[in-house]
Amino acid sequence: MSHPLDDLISLAERTYVRLEAEQLIEDCLMNANPEPMNRLLEELVMAGMDSLIVLREILSVIRSVKSTINQEGMEVQHDLRKTLSQFGIGWPRDPSGGTPESYWHIYHYGLYQEIKAHAPWLKMEDQLILEEICNEAGKRVNKIVRRLVLLKDLEETVMDWINGLIHEIAHSTNLYPWSRQASFHH
């Protein structure tokens, strides 16, 4: 039977883990270095089955951060489309959104040349403005893509550790009592 205090302590522990994971992930992203998170994950796995809940919480945080960063990328795309439409220019290509690959088109420095080819009527001053806008969007997207790639790697690592722990738990506990009986008869 669960007690209200136990539930509150469990919630507080999960909240603490979540906050710590968010901070560690942000540090990893800021420094473009997954090693601090990898060390934590290894320690959690060494702790065994008890860390499975923590690993799942970390996975949830990673996915949440990934979603937020994807949203940033979508905003860059939206802002760029809106700016181009103000100049009477349509989006040169329509990439699928939400993946590092979909942002590559913005990052690609040939984007401005492609836009310029679709809008030869632009005045020189408008061309210069658009070139600067495209370059700035490219820089923002470059940062977003690097962060998404790192998060994807962290997500895969956490998933691998979770699956490994589940596999270990499944094989170290006797989930099938009849298999123990069968081994006594041999």
Side-chain angles (χ1 to χ4, degrees), residues 91-106:
W91 188 253
R93 285 187 233 151
D94 194 20
S96 61
T99 64
E101 297 80 21
S102 72
Y103 305 130
W104 182 252
H105 184 69
I106 294 173

Side-chain angles (χ1 to χ4, degrees), residues 3 7 26 31 48 50 61 67 72 80 86 110 117 125 129 137 141 143 159 182:
H3 296 294
D7 292 342
E26 190 56 41
N31 298 319
D50 294 335
V61 171
S67 176
E72 288 176 34
L80 189 55
Q86 291 172 348
E125 63 189 48
I129 291 169
V141 163
K143 183 179 178 184
M159 295 273 301

Side-chain angles (χ1 to χ4, degrees), residues 136-175:
E136 280 303 310
K139 289 175 187 174
R140 287 176 60 196
V141 163
N142 182 34
K143 183 179 178 184
I144 289 168
V145 167
R146 284 185 287 136
R147 295 176 76 177
L148 285 174
V149 167
L150 187 101
L151 284 169
K152 184 177 182 243
D153 290 346
L154 286 175
E155 180 181 32
E156 288 173 0
T157 300
V158 173
M159 295 273 301
D160 287 347
W161 283 120
I162 288 173
N163 290 334
L165 268 179
I166 290 171
H167 179 78
E168 183 67 30
I169 291 166
H171 287 78
S172 66
T173 59
N174 194 356
L175 297 177

Side-chain angles (χ1 to χ4, degrees), residues 51-185:
S51 63
L52 195 55
I53 293 170
V54 174
L55 286 169
R56 286 186 173 153
E57 194 66 32
I58 290 171
L59 182 62
S60 172
V61 171
I62 289 170
R63 288 177 173 165
S64 175
V65 171
K66 197 169 131 183
S67 176
T68 300
I69 293 173
N70 263 322
Q71 188 60 39
E72 288 176 34
M74 298 300 283
E75 288 171 14
V76 171
Q77 281 184 339
H78 175 75
D79 292 348
L80 189 55
R81 285 175 196 248
K82 186 176 169 185
T83 300
L84 291 175
S85 71
Q86 291 172 348
F87 284 92
I89 302 169
W91 188 253
R93 285 187 233 151
D94 194 20
S96 61
T99 64
E101 297 80 21
S102 72
Y103 305 130
W104 182 252
H105 184 69
I106 294 173
Y107 173 70
H108 180 64
Y109 288 112
L111 175 62
Y112 167 69
Q113 295 301 326
E114 194 173 334
I115 290 170
K116 187 176 165 185
H118 281 84
W121 67 86
L122 286 175
K123 297 177 202 169
M124 182 56 75
E125 63 189 48
D126 289 343
Q127 289 180 19
L128 293 173
I129 291 169
L130 279 176
E131 183 176 22
E132 182 62 30
I133 290 168
C134 288
N135 288 338
E136 280 303 310
K139 289 175 187 174
R140 287 176 60 196
V141 163
N142 182 34
K143 183 179 178 184
I144 289 168
V145 167
R146 284 185 287 136
R147 295 176 76 177
L148 285 174
V149 167
L150 187 101
L151 284 169
K152 184 177 182 243
D153 290 346
L154 286 175
E155 180 181 32
E156 288 173 0
T157 300
V158 173
M159 295 273 301
D160 287 347
W161 283 120
I162 288 173
N163 290 334
L165 268 179
I166 290 171
H167 179 78
E168 183 67 30
I169 291 166
H171 287 78
S172 66
T173 59
N174 194 356
L175 297 177
Y176 307 107
W178 60 85
S179 65
R180 186 170 20 122
Q181 292 172 345
S183 65
F184 283 109
H185 296 293

